[in-house]
Each structure stands twice: as structure tokens, then as C-alpha cells.
Amino acid sequence: MTYSVTINEFMLLAANESIEILDLRDPEFIDSFELLKGPAVTQISLTQLPNCLDQLDKSKTYYLFTQFGDRSKTMAQFLRKEGFQVVNVIGGAAAYQHYLAS
């Protein structure tokens, strides 16, 4: 399994299949810019995630977003150790926003 994808790879996947997004940004960042909308987006603040693992499904693959992608890489390692299938999106929401602007 691939553990990280670039924003370009993520956008290709999102265009061709249904994907699950785990938005780990703090509320002030979510308010400033919203990722893809829809039922496939789960928003849990990074600091709250260890207490909310029961809200996630181990049979799904989650694409992790933080604001800049640095903290999602660390959280991806944690979640994999907990038995979840996760992929870090390199550059996070900032890369996504830049992609949309280009």
C-alpha cells in the first residue's frame, strides 16, 4: 500500500473513485478553507483524534489532510499502528488550495 500521495495523485484518485478523507485540521483552518464536501469527509481535530478512533472504520482507506501535511505524516504512522488503512496527502490543505488556484 502507498503511504503518501502528492496532491496531483490525490486529485486523480478523487476524480476516478470514491475516497474517504480524514480532515485533521484545527477548527480555525477548516473555517478558512473547506476541502471537498460530501459524506466522504470526516472532520476530527488532530488533537482529538486519539480519543475518537471509534468513529473510524478499519475497513476503509482514509486520505489524511492537515493544513500543510507535516502533522498528517506523523498521524498516519500512529493510525497504521492502530490498524487503520491511511494515506498521507503531501502538502495537505495548502497544496489542495494551491492546486485549485492553478
Side-chain angles (χ1 to χ4, degrees), residues 53-65:
L53 295 179
D54 61 336
Q55 295 179 27
L56 302 176
D57 183 344
K58 289 186 178 181
S59 70
K60 296 180 179 179
T61 298
Y62 293 96
Y63 289 81
L64 305 183
F65 276 86

Side-chain angles (χ1 to χ4, degrees), residues 1-51:
M1 171 180 228
T2 301
Y3 294 132
S4 293
V5 294
T6 66
I7 196 64
N8 291 343
E9 292 168 326
F10 170 79
M11 295 306 289
L12 284 173
L13 288 168
N16 293 313
E17 59 188 80
S18 177
I19 58 172
E20 297 285 332
I21 296 171
L22 183 53
D23 186 351
L24 300 173
R25 295 176 297 155
D26 293 328
E28 64 268 16
F29 287 116
I30 291 171
D31 291 341
S32 68
F33 177 74
E34 194 167 350
L35 291 172
L36 297 170
K37 293 183 181 184
V41 178
T42 302
Q43 294 177 329
I44 302 174
S45 175
L46 183 74
T47 57
Q48 297 300 314
L49 186 61
N51 300 322

